[in-house]
């Protein structure tokens, strides 16, 4: 089998009679008969094998003469190396299986392996990358790139980084908002406060250190603000986020074993595959997806619901409006980026009406990458992966019939402005919306 791939680039079952005869002749004198060194000696040895096959009646004389007209290879080929990480994973899962049937699209896998290599080419900071593509209707993984180069030891290319447990940064915010919509705590047009807040000693700030005052939930998610999402997490209970991840099929690693409010901002360990499951569920109208890469594996008949279909559509509709990187159109793709503490991980996860694409970038050893941001580093690669996946974006489905499509002023009173549970709504007195508490204004 190894010789068949080395000399002809195909498995033994696809060899011609002439090709098989050459591989029979080579082991008798492997150096002297090497076709790339002495093609005449290789041809003569092959033809002797063909003659004996004909003499013994294994093939006809005409078949032997026809086989002798075939040329011999002049160079050895590289061994197949598509999807090496997931191939190793398949062998570990079933070491005695003779053939592993995977859901991967070979053409797409090759295009994304080239994209991954290009994304880190020329960099001197040991940057690595992992990319995954899946069909969130069928659950099939269509491509899985564990690193930019399997044999690149300087970057830790042998590590399957689709399975590396990392901080997801802001990529969990869509889950928080989706669960809040599902439970009737908020609506995309609900007003929510972004102001300095103290959550029992936890004082989150936005990335730029600024606060926007009161704004719509839609804008808070698109701008990836921290205080609003922590407010919603406090109302939901951080354990609900963990439960939502588990329903999606993820395996969250909780520092200390007990989730806190920081979970909403990336204070939990997840893999790229975990996040693919979460975003596949959102793209699949809130229904978890049996994400799989093996064709012959048993499928789970039914999957739990992560959030209702209205909440999932509302999240998708908001993410369609997230600003794109400079020079990228990306029309029709709902996506979110994330950057973990210390710039260790840069993320971009996106989906359309059919597929979900995830990109992680960082260092294999988990050390910081100064200046690495999900929006600048990973997002352009994610959009490029969509372009290499297909030429036409599948549209996000229309809103479910039960979707409440109203402006803020026409929403039911409890949904017009978010207040934590237990805080009474007082419509008799005005409330200062701006400037936010603690703001410093120039005179």
């Amino acid at each position: 089998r190894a010789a068949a791939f080395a000399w002809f680039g195909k498995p033994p079952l696809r060899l011609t009679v002439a090709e098989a005869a050459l591989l029979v002749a080579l082991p008798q004198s492997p150096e002297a008969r090497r076709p790339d060194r002495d093609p005449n000696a290789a041809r003569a040895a092959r033809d002797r094998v063909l003659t004996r096959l004909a003499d013994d009646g294994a093939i006809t004389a005409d078949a032997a003469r026809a086989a002798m007209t075939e040329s011999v290879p002049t160079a050895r080929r590289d061994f197949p190396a598509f999807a090496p990480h997931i191939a190793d994973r398949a062998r570990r899962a079933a070491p005695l299986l003779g053939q592993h049937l995977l859901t991967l699209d070979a053409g797409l896998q090759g295009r994304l392996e080239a994209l991954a290599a290009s994304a880190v080419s020329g960099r001197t900071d040991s940057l690595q990358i992992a990319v995954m593509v899946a069909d969130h209707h069928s659950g099939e993984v269509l491509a899985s790139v564990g690193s930019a180069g399997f044999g690149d030891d300087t970057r830790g290319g042998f590590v399957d980084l689709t399975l590396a447990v990392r901080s997801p940064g802001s990529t969990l915010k869509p889950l928080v908002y989706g669960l809040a919509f599902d439970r009737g705590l908020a609506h995309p047009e609900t007003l929510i406060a972004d102001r300095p807040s103290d959550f029992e000693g936890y004082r989150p700030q936005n990335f730029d250190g600024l606060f926007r005052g009161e704004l719509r939930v839609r804008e808070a998610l698109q701008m990836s603000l921290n205080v609003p999402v922590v407010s919603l997490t406090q109302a939901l209970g951080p354990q609900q986020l963990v439960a939502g991840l588990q329903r999606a099929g993820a395996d969250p690693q909780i520092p200390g074993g007990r989730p806190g409010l920081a979970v909403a901002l990336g204070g939990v360990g997840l893999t790229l595959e975990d996040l693919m499951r979460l975003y596949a569920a959102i793209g699949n109208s809130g229904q978890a997806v049996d994400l799989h890469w093996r064709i012959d594996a048993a499928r789970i008949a039914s999957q739990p619901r992560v959030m209702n279909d209205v909440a999932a559509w509302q999240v998708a509709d908001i993410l369609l409006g997230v600003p794109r990187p400079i020079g990228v159109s990306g029309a029709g793709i709902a996506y979110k980026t994330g950057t973990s503490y210390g710039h260790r991980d840069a993320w971009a996860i996106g989906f359309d009406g059919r597929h979900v694409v995830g990109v992680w970038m960082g260092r294999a050893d988990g050390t910081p990458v100064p200046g690495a941001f999900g929006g600048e580093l990973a997002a352009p690669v994610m959009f490029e992966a969509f372009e290499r996946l297909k030429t036409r974006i599948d549209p996000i489905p229309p809103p479910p019939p039960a979707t409440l499509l109203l402006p803020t002023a026409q929403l039911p009173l409890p949904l017009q402005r978010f207040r934590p549970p237990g805080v009474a709504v007082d419509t008799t007195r005005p409330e200062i919306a701006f400037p936010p508490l603690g703001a410093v204004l120039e005179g």
Side-chain angles (χ1 to χ4, degrees), residues 82-420:
F82 266 169
H85 297 95
I86 207 164
D88 278 354
R89 189 174 172 188
R91 292 181 62 193
R92 288 195 302 269
L96 301 181
L97 194 62
Q99 185 179 43
H100 300 268
L101 301 177
L102 307 184
T103 61
L104 304 187
D105 179 319
L108 176 63
Q109 179 73 26
R111 294 193 295 274
L112 293 190
E113 288 183 4
L115 173 62
S118 174
V120 301
S121 177
R123 298 187 66 111
T124 59
D125 53 6
S126 300
L127 190 71
Q128 262 295 5
I129 184 172
V131 185
M132 288 187 70
V133 177
D135 183 323
H136 60 66
H137 288 188
S138 67
E140 292 183 346
V141 174
L142 303 179
S144 181
V145 181
S147 73
F150 187 69
D152 190 348
D153 291 340
T154 61
R155 298 178 188 268
F158 56 89
V159 179
D160 186 351
L161 293 165
T162 67
L163 301 178
V165 178
R166 304 287 181 147
S167 165
S170 294
T171 58
L172 292 190
K173 289 177 179 176
L175 173 62
V176 177
Y177 285 96
L179 295 177
F181 298 156
D182 191 352
R183 286 157 176 74
L185 292 174
H187 179 277
E189 307 306 315
T190 297
L191 296 177
I192 193 167
D194 178 42
R195 57 172 63 101
S197 302
D198 188 324
F199 299 92
E200 298 180 359
Y202 180 45
R203 301 181 180 90
Q205 293 190 359
N206 294 316
F207 176 78
D208 57 9
L210 304 177
F211 295 91
R212 272 72 177 181
E214 199 168 60
L215 72 170
R216 295 180 301 159
V217 160
R218 175 184 301 275
E219 297 166 321
L221 176 52
Q222 290 174 345
M223 297 170 69
S224 198
L225 301 179
N226 289 340
V227 172
V229 79
V230 173
S231 298
L232 289 172
T233 302
Q234 184 184 51
L236 287 165
Q239 66 278 3
Q240 293 299 323
L241 271 66
V242 175
L245 286 168
Q246 292 171 335
R247 290 195 301 274
D251 182 22
Q253 305 297 306
I254 311 297
R258 184 175 180 179
L261 295 178
V263 168
L265 304 183
V268 60
L270 291 170
T271 67
L272 175 58
E273 190 170 293
D274 287 332
L275 286 175
M276 289 286 290
R277 294 180 186 277
L278 172 61
Y279 280 75
I282 298 173
N284 191 40
S285 300
Q287 191 84 36
V289 178
D290 180 19
L291 213 63
H292 60 280
W293 43 265
R294 189 187 290 280
I295 290 177
D296 53 356
R299 305 270 68 82
I300 300 175
S302 61
Q303 293 287 329
R305 182 164 285 283
V306 179
M307 61 186 71
N308 65 44
D309 59 345
V310 172
W313 182 86
Q314 289 172 325
V315 170
D317 184 58
I318 292 172
L319 296 182
L320 283 171
V322 173
R324 269 49 182 163
I326 296 175
V328 174
S329 172
I333 299 173
Y335 87 110
K336 184 74 182 72
T337 62
T339 305
S340 68
Y341 178 77
H343 303 275
R344 287 173 169 81
D345 310 280
W347 303 88
I349 319 286
F351 60 92
D352 66 358
R354 183 78 193 197
H355 296 98
V356 56
V357 176
V359 173
W360 168 90
M361 298 185 75
R363 286 179 175 155
D365 60 6
T367 54
V369 183
F373 299 96
E376 299 174 3
L377 197 61
V381 179
M382 186 211 70
F383 284 109
E384 177 66 20
F386 264 107
E387 291 184 9
R388 300 196 182 197
L389 168 64
K390 52 188 174 182
T391 58
R392 185 183 67 84
I393 295 298
D394 293 88
I396 300 292
T403 308
L404 196 62
L405 299 173
L406 293 172
T408 305
Q410 296 179 22
L411 290 174
L413 190 60
L415 285 179
Q416 290 185 14
R417 179 174 282 104
F418 172 74
R419 290 179 176 82

Side-chain angles (χ1 to χ4, degrees), residues 35-62:
D36 57 337
R37 292 182 177 175
D38 193 339
N40 292 328
R43 183 181 293 105
R46 179 201 66 182
D47 291 351
R48 285 194 293 272
V49 173
L50 290 170
T51 299
R52 290 190 59 181
L53 287 171
D55 291 344
D56 291 345
I59 59 174
T60 65
D62 288 342

